[in-house]
Amino acid sequence: MSNGYTEDLGTGTTPSSYGIPLQRTPDTAPDTAPAPTAKPPPGRDRYLDLLRSIALVRVVVYHLFGWAWLTVLFPSMGVMFALAGSLMARSLKRPAWGVIRGRIRRLLPPLWAFSAVVLVLLFAGGWNPTKNTEESPTWALLELVNYVIPIGAPPFPWHIGSKSGLLEDTWAVQASGPLWYLRAYLWFVVASPLLLWAYRRAPWPTLLAPLGLTAIVGTGLVKIPGETGNAVTDFAVYGGCWVLGFAHHEGLLRQIPRYVAVSCSSLLMAFGLWWASGHLGADGWDLNDIPLAQATWSFGFVVILLQYSPSWQELPGRLAKWDRLVTLSNNRAVTIYLWHNMLIMATIPIIDLVYELPFMQGDSAVGAMDATYMLWMFCLVWPLIGLAILTVGWIEDIGARRRPRLWPDGRKRGGRHGI
């Protein structure tokens, strides 16, 4: 899905042509609410934590390699919104204003750290937000507020610096690309008390309404111009997944026979692929560019994932060896998501230093390096993400009013693990 302020930049096999494609992570219910059939276990659900970790890895890999088929293999954004919706429904057992304020407080400090770095680089590069814009100078300056509170789209130049510079001239577009998710997340959080109220009174209409809205605004039947249109489309496309999180927490999905849920979801997903086949964009089967296909495929995919939800309190079997990484990625999900595009770009000047080594002066060595360039980027970006976690990840703890931790992978003294 195109988000207005992002565009598909494609990928290249050489440093000079590289670009990152942008993706588009009351105390009692009323009598009419669907009654849960089983009480969820206390504490964290490790199955949901595992899904969030897989979604984050998929986002990084997609933004690195630009493989369109990854949006079909695992619709990460739909999964992340569904998991967030489930946690939001769980939290709304407490007073709504306190929950919303807590969610916003956890989101904003990591965003401020990221925005500070981006804005310093932009202004150091000579960017003036009041120039080369159709907006008035006053409004252009006011739009900078979106770097502080992501209620809309933050401004940035499409080109800054030189293509031969340390970072290519589209780095600002690529760095700011993930911010659309924070905007959508913020609006979902603010709307959740009303959505949950509507869901408990009319579960199925509330659950299916976003798909109907996507069919209207995501297909061009009704066009809403500008960033307002992009925000409404994002809300519609992933709104069904967010409300599915409600349905998972409230127990509605457990009331539906599995064969019925899987069969209906499969038909919906088949429709999504059929619709995509007739509306392929420049990147083919990239569902991010096809809102209705993204909405229906993600919705069906999430239903199946949540229908088979085993509610693990611990990762079982061979998955247990990934426990610490799953814990770390969940504790630093905002940091990973915000910084991964910048870190992908940071691999380029680092890898380019290899070309200066004495044994790299031959044509065969250069050819081998060119052929494996993307693989080296993939290998290098993960240590850089780890460095970002150590450097700025603790800001998430500040936002959550926890004691700052450098590497929160669940390890405790004496070899114990926790979250």
Side-chain angles (χ1 to χ4, degrees), residues 8-10 66 68 279-286 289-290:
D8 187 356
L9 303 176
H279 298 81
L280 299 180
D283 294 316
W285 288 88
D286 193 326
D289 300 327
I290 315 171

Side-chain angles (χ1 to χ4, degrees), residues 103-297:
R103 287 289 189 274
I104 294 175
R105 188 181 62 241
R106 292 186 181 194
L107 179 69
L108 293 186
L111 172 64
W112 294 340
F114 175 81
S115 297
V117 172
V118 170
L119 289 174
V120 166
L121 291 176
L122 287 175
F123 290 133
W127 177 56
N128 185 340
T130 64
K131 295 183 178 179
N132 301 320
T133 177
E134 297 178 357
E135 308 289 351
S136 67
T138 301
W139 184 256
L141 290 174
L142 287 176
E143 285 185 330
L144 292 175
V145 172
N146 291 304
Y147 280 103
V148 181
I149 304 176
I151 56 177
F156 51 82
W158 288 98
H159 299 277
I160 186 170
S162 170
K163 290 184 178 181
S164 59
L166 187 62
L167 295 175
E168 68 171 57
D169 62 345
T170 60
W171 71 264
V173 182
Q174 301 174 58
S176 302
L179 296 183
W180 76 267
Y181 172 79
L182 273 66
R183 175 183 67 184
Y185 176 84
L186 178 62
W187 284 113
F188 277 129
V189 166
V190 172
S192 281
L194 178 60
L195 288 174
L196 188 58
W197 176 88
Y199 169 81
R200 286 173 170 168
R201 283 154 180 78
W204 289 106
T206 306
L207 193 61
L208 299 177
L211 295 179
L213 182 60
T214 304
I216 296 173
V217 301
T219 62
L221 187 63
V222 173
K223 295 183 178 180
I224 304 175
E227 283 303 322
T228 301
N230 294 325
V232 171
T233 300
D234 291 338
F235 196 92
V237 168
Y238 297 107
C241 293
W242 187 273
V243 181
L244 273 176
F246 293 173
H248 173 259
H249 177 265
E250 299 283 297
L252 176 64
L253 296 182
R254 291 190 292 271
Q255 296 179 3
I256 305 172
R258 181 170 291 176
Y259 75 92
V260 174
V262 173
S263 299
C264 292
S265 297
S266 298
L267 290 174
L268 186 63
M269 294 167 69
F271 168 80
L273 292 182
W274 171 79
W275 180 266
S277 68
H279 298 81
L280 299 180
D283 294 316
W285 288 88
D286 193 326
L287 299 187
N288 293 311
D289 300 327
I290 315 171
L292 185 58
Q294 177 73 284
T296 52
W297 179 264

Side-chain angles (χ1 to χ4, degrees), residues 64-92:
L64 175 57
F65 292 102
W67 293 329
W69 53 266
L70 285 174
T71 63
V72 178
L73 179 66
F74 195 87
S76 284
M77 307 316 296
V79 172
M80 291 171 67
F81 279 119
L83 300 182
S86 180
L87 290 175
M88 191 67 185
R90 176 180 176 178
S91 297
L92 282 173

